[in-house]
Amino acid sequence: DAGVTQSPTHLIKTRGQQVTLRCSPKSGHDTVSWYQQALGQGPQFIFQYYEEEERQRGNFPDRFSGHQFPNYSSELNVNALLLGDSALYLCASSSQGRHGYTFGSGTRLTVV
Amino acid sequence: KNEVEQSPQNLTAQEGEFITINCSYSVGISALHWLQQHPGGGIVSLFMLSSGKKKHGRLIATINIQEKHSSLHITASHPRDSAVYICAVLGDYGGSQGNLIFGKGTKLSVKP
C-alpha cells in the first residue's frame, strides 16, 4: 500500500521563476495539506485541499497556489520565487472526519 | 507566543537513558500527533492521541487534556532514535477538520 508520494525530491530554481510540486495521497485519503518547513523550524501550514477546492489557507501570499485533481492528487505552485522560499515542502494526506495524517518525504526547493 | 511549545529544543543522551520530551499547547484540539523526522526530511507519524496514553515498543506517549500537555517518553534509548521529534496538534473547529499546528521540534542525539 503506497503512502504519500511527492515529486520531485530536490529542485533548484532561480529567483523569479515558477515551480510546481506534486503530491499523490495515500490510498483511501481524500484530503491533501501542504506545509513549508524552513531549516531548523517546524512545518508551517500553507493550505488544504478537499473535493478539488482550497478549504483552508495559512498565512502565505497569493504567489502560493494549488490544485487538487479528481484522483485526489495535488499540486503546489509558487510564482515569482524568492530566496526565502527555499525550504522543504511537505505534503500530508488524510480523510475528512478522521484525525490520522500520512506524510510524504518532501521536496527540497533551493532558490538561487 | 507559539500555539505549540516543545521542550527541550535540543537533547543529548547516552545510550540506554530514559528520555522525555514535553509539549504544551494553547488551543482547543481534537487530536495530538507525535512525529519523527530524520535528516532526510521525511516525517513518520509515531502516535495520534486524544486522551490517555499509548505505547509502541520503547515509545510511550501521554496526554493531559485538562492541562493541555503531552509527553513523549523513550525507554532504553538507542543511537538509532536520534532524530527530530515534533509535536503537532489538530485544531478543534467544531466538527470541521482543522489543520495541523506544529511545534518547532526537539532534536535528539543519542550517543553510544
Side-chain angles (χ1 to χ4, degrees), chain A residues 35 37 56 96 98-99, chain B residues 33 37 48 90 97 99 102:
Chain A
Y35 299 87
Q37 186 177 25
Q56 297 181 66
Q96 281 293 317
R98 298 191 171 196
H99 302 326
Chain B
H33 293 253
Q37 186 172 36
M48 182 179 67
L90 184 62
Q97 186 171 57
N99 56 271
F102 292 80

Side-chain angles (χ1 to χ4, degrees), chain A residues 31 35 37 40-43 45 48 56 88 90 94-101 103-105 108, chain B residues 30-31 33 35 37 39-45 48 86 90 93 97-100 102-105:
Chain A
T31 301
Y35 299 87
Q37 186 177 25
Q41 300 294 316
F45 175 68
Q48 182 185 86
Q56 297 181 66
L88 179 69
L90 292 161
S94 56
S95 291
Q96 281 293 317
R98 298 191 171 196
H99 302 326
Y101 278 70
F103 287 84
S105 297
R108 187 162 298 281
Chain B
S30 50
H33 293 253
L35 309 167
Q37 186 172 36
I43 288 179
V44 174
S45 179
M48 182 179 67
I86 302 174
L90 184 62
Y93 292 90
Q97 186 171 57
N99 56 271
L100 286 175
F102 292 80
K104 291 187 176 180

